[in-house]
Amino acid sequence: MNVDSFTEMWDQVFGTQETPALWLVIATGVVALAVVGTRLSWRVARNAVTIAHEGGHGLVALLTGRRLEGVRLHSDTSGLTVSRGKPTGIGMVLTAAAGYTAPSLLGLGGAWLLAAGHITALLWGATALLLALLVMVRNAYGVLSVVLTGAVFLLVSWLTEAGVQAAFAYGVVWFLLLGGVRPVFELQSKRRGGGAPDSDADQLHRLTNVPAGGWLLLFHAVSLCSLIGGGRWLLDV
């Protein structure tokens, strides 16, 4: 690759792109809402939320000095992230709290990038994060899920025109913002029915003595505030 080609690629990735029309931003939000709100489509799309959820656990584990052993993603859209280190303390608490907050916070960060016009940077950044996660995945279904998701981002980034890239990027961010809300309500419903006794909220209760309901309240607050803040950025209001 010569200097001119490298400079052109650098400008493309880290430069700004034109913000799409408001109708397209709204349309991608409506599509994302339909995907999250429809049972059949949610059963498939929830795999992407699980990738973000487990990726959040893994990233925070590394940032807090824990040793990441591996990530597993399952066909029922559940997942498991295993890390080694001190079984108590702030590092373990932050790692456990990162899962349900990760999709919403990623969506909020994505909304900030799109509001600043960095559509290409978002697509390439997401691809890089998926590649980093792929190294730590330890089961076949998980590898397949991450590879297929990463391939979609890569193909859109390389083979489509600017308008398609913008629509895809906005759709993904809307999906993360909206898709980060539903799992918390699902967890609350399961716990009300006596299910999910070893959920992240229950693990955090054992780590901190703060009731699991308090952690659910935190998850709700993060997801809903991210949706409101990210939505305002996307809609430029």
Side-chain angles (χ1 to χ4, degrees):
M1 179 181 295
N2 58 42
V3 175
D4 289 340
S5 298
F6 179 81
T7 302
E8 182 179 350
M9 180 177 293
W10 178 273
D11 290 340
Q12 180 181 0
V13 174
F14 294 100
T16 59
Q17 291 77 44
E18 183 178 355
T19 302
L22 180 60
W23 71 264
L24 181 62
V25 177
I26 295 174
T28 55
V30 171
V31 172
L33 180 61
V35 171
V36 172
T38 305
R39 180 178 299 180
L40 182 60
S41 60
W42 176 243
R43 287 179 61 185
V44 177
R46 199 184 194 283
N47 285 282
V49 175
T50 302
I51 290 173
H53 179 117
E54 300 304 330
H57 282 312
L59 176 60
V60 174
L62 291 174
L63 291 176
T64 56
R66 300 180 62 80
R67 188 176 70 180
L68 184 59
E69 295 288 314
V71 175
R72 301 180 71 87
L73 305 169
H74 304 130
S75 58
D76 63 354
T77 71
S78 65
L80 176 67
T81 299
V82 178
S83 62
R84 301 296 181 188
K86 188 178 178 181
T88 58
I90 187 64
M92 189 63 212
V93 171
L94 291 175
T95 298
Y100 277 97
T101 57
S104 295
L105 293 177
L106 284 172
L108 184 63
W112 176 78
L113 282 173
L114 293 181
H118 295 295
I119 296 172
T120 304
L122 183 143
L123 296 175
W124 282 49
T127 305
L129 288 174
L130 288 165
L131 288 173
L133 177 62
L134 181 61
V135 176
M136 298 308 302
V137 175
R138 296 291 182 264
N139 67 320
Y141 183 83
V143 169
L144 179 63
S145 297
V146 175
V147 167
L148 288 178
T149 305
V152 171
F153 275 89
L154 192 61
L155 290 173
V156 170
S157 300
W158 278 98
L159 301 180
T160 64
E161 60 184 18
V164 175
Q165 292 179 13
F168 178 76
Y170 273 82
V172 167
V173 171
W174 275 121
F175 173 75
L176 287 172
L177 291 170
L178 293 163
V181 174
R182 180 165 177 170
V184 185
F185 282 99
E186 291 177 340
L187 176 59
Q188 184 175 355
S189 178
K190 287 180 182 178
R191 294 193 73 261
R192 189 182 298 117
D198 200 36
S199 70
D200 291 354
D202 292 284
Q203 293 181 41
L204 285 162
H205 167 57
R206 291 191 289 270
L207 286 166
T208 64
N209 290 324
V210 175
W215 288 104
L216 278 171
L217 184 62
L218 174 65
F219 296 160
H220 279 303
V222 171
S223 63
L224 292 173
C225 287
S226 295
L227 175 58
I228 294 170
R232 288 177 63 88
W233 270 332
L234 294 176
L235 296 170
D236 193 23
V237 296

